[in-house]
Amino acid sequence: GGRHWRRVSLPDVDITFLAASKYLPGRLLAFAEPDSIHGVGHGGIWASRDAGRTWHRINAQAAKKFNVVGLALLPGHPFRVLFANTNGIERSSDGGKTWTNIGLDSHFVLSLLVSHGQPDLVFAGADNGIWKSVDAGRTWSLFHSGPPTSVLVAGSDRPADLYGFASVTHPYIYRLATPSRVARGTAPLGGGQIVVAVDPTDPARIYAAFSFPLTVYESNDSSRTWRKIL
């Protein structure tokens, strides 16, 4: 439960994304930034079959991608991968052997989220709202026309219950219960990278953390009001 830790044997540094799936016990994915701006050396997408004890690289070319925004692991044979940067989504259905590039009608991709309850249901935040795929990322359609959404988190196990962080001049967090039912909240003040998390026992309780300076806020009313807890 986080009381004890050990360092895994991943032969890379600067890990910025991790992905796991409750449908694939022991499987893990990790994305590492390249060792230099030229994309040489280490970096790329790594996979583990044994909960992080050993790793093998499944996509070295990914290290050359800029503005990476998401990594997802989905069940399949042996597993499926979605890897997103702002220019689009790369998909593998064979454990990383082959890849297909997918675009969202020339829109910028900003975030990626796999549904908690339906592993083939995937959402992508974009510069024009939220897109949805019901076939594990093979095809996409616009789900909700809205603001640029740089963070997506699941509000609950209900497929359409989502929280989004609107990256606009005055940022805010909104909750999307259905494609047409949107509750706009507020966002606490902070800088750097933002992470949003939802309490699994209470979807109305959410947390927002900022990296610079490190601050954590809590909301008990679906982002309408906030209090600083760190």
Side-chain angles (χ1 to χ4, degrees):
R3 291 187 297 274
H4 305 287
W5 293 83
R6 65 177 178 84
R7 187 180 298 275
V8 302
S9 60
L10 179 60
D12 217 327
V13 295
D14 204 4
I15 307 301
T16 56
F17 285 95
L18 292 171
S21 170
K22 65 181 181 181
Y23 302 98
L24 297 169
R27 294 273 191 182
L28 292 172
L29 295 178
F31 170 74
E33 297 283 353
D35 290 344
S36 76
I37 60 174
H38 304 294
V40 297
H42 291 126
I45 302 174
W46 295 79
S48 172
R49 298 186 181 93
D50 51 15
R53 286 188 290 274
T54 60
W55 297 81
H56 64 285
R57 188 159 46 180
I58 61 173
N59 189 330
Q61 295 300 312
K64 299 179 181 180
K65 300 291 183 179
F66 294 99
N67 300 319
V68 176
V69 298
L71 179 67
L73 173 65
L74 298 93
H77 302 288
F79 57 90
R80 291 173 289 188
V81 186
L82 296 179
F83 171 67
N85 70 344
T86 52
N87 291 326
I89 298 170
E90 294 191 29
R91 180 181 188 272
S92 174
S93 60
D94 54 11
K97 294 179 182 178
T98 59
W99 295 82
T100 302
N101 294 317
I102 302 168
L104 301 183
D105 287 347
S106 300
H107 289 282
F108 290 115
V109 182
L110 304 177
S111 54
L112 190 66
L113 173 70
V114 179
S115 169
H116 284 180
Q118 300 181 25
D120 285 348
L121 179 60
V122 188
F123 297 96
D127 57 10
N128 66 333
I130 300 174
W131 289 67
K132 179 180 74 171
S133 172
V134 297
D135 52 12
R138 192 170 61 227
T139 59
W140 294 82
S141 61
L142 184 62
F143 178 63
H144 170 69
S145 180
T149 302
S150 58
V151 177
L152 270 179
V153 293
S156 66
D157 285 339
R158 298 200 312 272
D161 191 3
L162 305 172
Y163 280 101
F165 179 81
S167 298
V168 292
T169 302
H170 300 288
Y172 61 91
I173 292 176
Y174 64 97
R175 188 174 184 182
L176 188 68
T178 68
S180 59
R181 183 183 168 194
V182 181
R184 175 169 170 167
T186 61
L189 297 177
Q193 184 178 6
I194 179 175
V195 176
V196 179
V198 180
D199 186 337
T201 66
D202 183 1
R205 180 179 296 117
I206 63 175
Y207 301 89
F210 293 90
S211 62
F212 185 78
L214 176 60
T215 49
V216 181
Y217 296 86
E218 179 188 46
S219 172
N220 291 303
D221 53 13
S222 298
S223 80
R224 287 189 293 274
T225 60
W226 297 86
R227 70 182 183 96
K228 186 177 178 181
I229 60 175
L230 177 64

